[in-house]
Amino acid sequence: ILNVEQSPQSLHVQEGDSTNFTCSFPSSNFYALHWYRWETAKSPEALFVMTLNGDEKKKGRISATLNTKEGYSYLYIKGSQPEDSATYLCACPAGGTSYGKLTFGQGTILTVHP
Amino acid sequence: GAGVSQSPRYKVAKRGQDVALRCDPISGHVSLFWYQQALGQGPEFLTYFQNEAQLDKSGLPSDRFFAERPEGSVSTLKIQRTQQEDSAVYLCASSLVFGPVRGYTFGSGTRLTVV
């Protein structure tokens, strides 16, 4: 059973603050790491899919890094805005015959206060 | 369509009632997944289709849960004799290709409340 963990569970920041949170996953049999943003009443939106150790990806003010040897990924948000308020989910696919099936962490709920 | 469409958005069912949740994936998407998200938890895998074939149903919590995708496009998740523990958001996701190296497109989910 794949165990994916996220921390912190929730985070409150002020507009303009930069923030980051963590996703931990097993380093063995690694295939990929997905990050999703899920705003209330909307669909989870894919932010990044990362596959290589040392990968760094960026989308606007949001960036992510990946360390497959030690089994963690960081998501950074620079200059948080109220519209960044959402639940951020990371997920890893299982291998073998379950290739493609994602195991999610419990999510980090980010609230950005104006 | 432009995205993955799920209906209904909200469903209130009396305990013991049968429900059917619909997922309309992006046209041409091969892979289709169902996930269940309980309050305060991350989404948990229920089942997976590649075209019309159900390749993995290991996450279905009991034999009251049944999913189908008869023509390889629209999928229905059916829950028989609903129980209170079935209350959750049910998410559907689709992907053009088979495999996890591209992000999946999710629907907005169906929030099921069993009373």
Side-chain angles (χ1 to χ4, degrees), chain A residues 44-87:
Chain A
E45 171 200 1
L47 290 173
F48 307 112
V49 178
M50 309 176 80
T51 56
L52 298 176
N53 184 45
D55 240 358
E56 290 188 32
K57 296 211 171 183
K58 188 173 180 182
K59 185 176 182 178
R61 294 179 292 99
I62 304 177
S63 60
T65 61
L66 179 67
N67 184 323
T68 62
K69 295 187 187 304
E70 295 183 36
Y72 65 84
S73 175
Y74 293 139
L75 190 79
Y76 300 92
I77 303 178
K78 184 177 178 182
S80 303
Q81 299 296 309
E83 57 265 30
D84 296 328
S85 297
T87 297

Side-chain angles (χ1 to χ4, degrees), chain A residues 34 36 38 43 49 98-100 102, chain B residues 35 37 42 56 100 103-104 106 108:
Chain A
H34 291 218
Y36 291 87
W38 193 1
S43 312
V49 178
S98 297
Y99 190 64
L102 294 178
Chain B
Y35 287 86
Q37 195 215 15
D56 188 340
Y104 298 153
F106 281 85
S108 301

